[in-house]
Amino acid sequence: MMWFFRALGWVLLFASIAVLVDSSITALQTGSFRLVAAGELWYRLDAGSLNYLQYVVQTYISVWAWDNLFVPVLLAPALVVLFVPALLLLLLARKRKRQRIF
């Protein structure tokens, strides 16, 4: 199971690097650096699934959960939303060296 968390951590790390590269290229073209929000990135990739998630959360879970839990994450920079879980997964699922007692 640890290999799955390690692989997921690497995928998230590469995704965060891709977001940083995309923001850097956009900054070179426009002349101003701006980190893209996680919700904006998700909307660019697949708007339908983001709208469906909102519908499901507001209908079957709670409007409060959407407004107070999901929206702040979607407004946060995508770089942070991807990098922090990647770092945590890679740290928690790292291979540990066996210690020799003798």
Side-chain angles (χ1 to χ4, degrees), residues 29-96:
Q29 293 173 345
T30 61
S32 65
F33 185 76
R34 181 182 77 83
L35 290 174
V36 64
E40 181 183 345
L41 178 66
W42 191 346
Y43 187 82
R44 277 193 228 162
L45 295 174
D46 187 14
S49 66
L50 179 60
N51 291 333
Y52 185 68
L53 175 70
Q54 180 181 3
Y55 166 75
V56 167
V57 169
Q58 288 180 338
T59 304
Y60 296 108
I61 299 174
S62 166
V63 174
W64 178 90
W66 177 258
D67 291 338
N68 295 314
L69 299 176
F70 286 87
V71 170
V73 172
L74 292 172
L75 292 176
L79 181 66
V80 175
V81 172
L82 293 170
F83 183 73
V84 170
L87 188 64
L88 290 174
L89 284 171
L90 289 173
L91 285 174
L92 293 175
R94 71 183 182 272
K95 291 183 180 180
R96 294 182 176 92

